[in-house]
Amino acid sequence: MNGPEIRELHAMEEFATASHLYAGIWGTDAAGPPVSAEVMRALSHAGNYVAGAYEDGRLVGASVAFFGDPIATTLHSHITGASMGRGIGLALKLHQRQWALARGLKRITWTYDPLIRRNAYFNLVKLGARPEEYLTSFYGAMDDAINGGDESDRVLTAWDLTAPTETPEPGNASAGLAGAAHALRNRGGRPETAPADAATVLIDLPDDIEALRRQDPGAARAWRLAVRHTLGALLAEGAHVIGFHDRRSYVVHRTPTSTA
């Protein structure tokens, strides 16, 4: 089976279709989509990235990105939405990568909710991107179907475009985890934190945070705070996320401090 056709969008009709697609994915009212057709029009006209994925002539995914800081080196990917399970999101990201490289850019950044396991796996393992900064309640409280009224903590993630696209999946391997300690463990669906002074630290995620927000908002809130206080604190102190183990745990490595 051939992959989707990916191409840049330029017409208002295309932007309107993409806006409607976003509203459906995020479960918002059609009058208040995550990105409006007018904003996409302005970004595209100014030379930024607005692209769509098509299957049999039907729009099934879209991505919007704009130039970021540092100037002339970075593209910031603001939103990518696609039908799940058919490789559409990956096709969009690879097209975005080629678009950026053709313009001499060296990295793409974006934010994502660190509690969503499939996004963490996709970003860290499939693409090889790495979180750089924890952003607390970045957009404030969000009431769409995905965020469910939760605070919008995000991690700023960077994709090094100079690295090879075909990378191993170290985040899923057990090698290199000897001596690792759990700072946050999924214990029967609830977060359990523990002191962890090891050089390599594991941070578990809930099985399905989106379902948990609907079924048990208290547990979802507990997970939000636990990940904020563990992953957020580690990134703030200069630690690095180096992988995603067993599709459920961030692998975080502390940089040794000099005693001299």
Side-chain angles (χ1 to χ4, degrees), residues 91-238:
L92 277 166
K93 295 305 290 186
L94 294 178
H95 181 272
Q96 189 180 79
R97 179 181 188 274
Q98 290 305 120
W99 188 95
L101 285 170
R103 287 154 181 80
L105 305 180
K106 297 181 179 179
R107 70 180 202 148
I108 299 175
T109 62
W110 61 89
T111 63
Y112 77 93
D113 185 342
L115 290 176
I116 300 179
R117 285 175 54 188
R118 69 175 183 277
N119 287 355
Y121 176 81
F122 178 80
N123 292 330
L124 275 68
V125 179
K126 299 293 287 185
L127 297 179
R130 290 293 179 262
E132 292 187 340
E133 182 180 3
Y134 194 96
L135 306 168
T136 301
S137 201
F138 190 57
Y139 297 110
M142 302 178 73
D143 293 323
D144 57 70
I146 293 176
N147 293 284
D150 192 7
E151 289 189 76
S152 56
D153 288 18
R154 297 290 184 266
V155 285
L156 178 67
T157 302
W159 190 13
D160 180 5
L161 304 186
T162 66
T165 55
E166 296 295 330
T167 57
E169 299 191 353
N172 273 342
S174 298
L177 296 183
H182 263 95
L184 175 59
R185 189 184 296 274
N186 187 337
R187 184 77 73 184
R190 303 286 299 199
E192 180 182 274
T193 59
D197 297 327
T200 302
V201 176
L202 298 177
I203 297 175
D204 286 357
L205 293 183
D207 293 336
D208 187 345
I209 188 62
E210 292 160 289
L212 203 58
R213 287 173 183 142
R214 297 189 297 270
Q215 299 163 7
D216 190 344
R221 173 68 175 168
W223 273 107
R224 171 67 73 204
L225 295 177
V227 172
R228 179 186 295 175
H229 293 154
T230 52
L231 180 62
L234 284 163
L235 289 176
E237 73 179 36

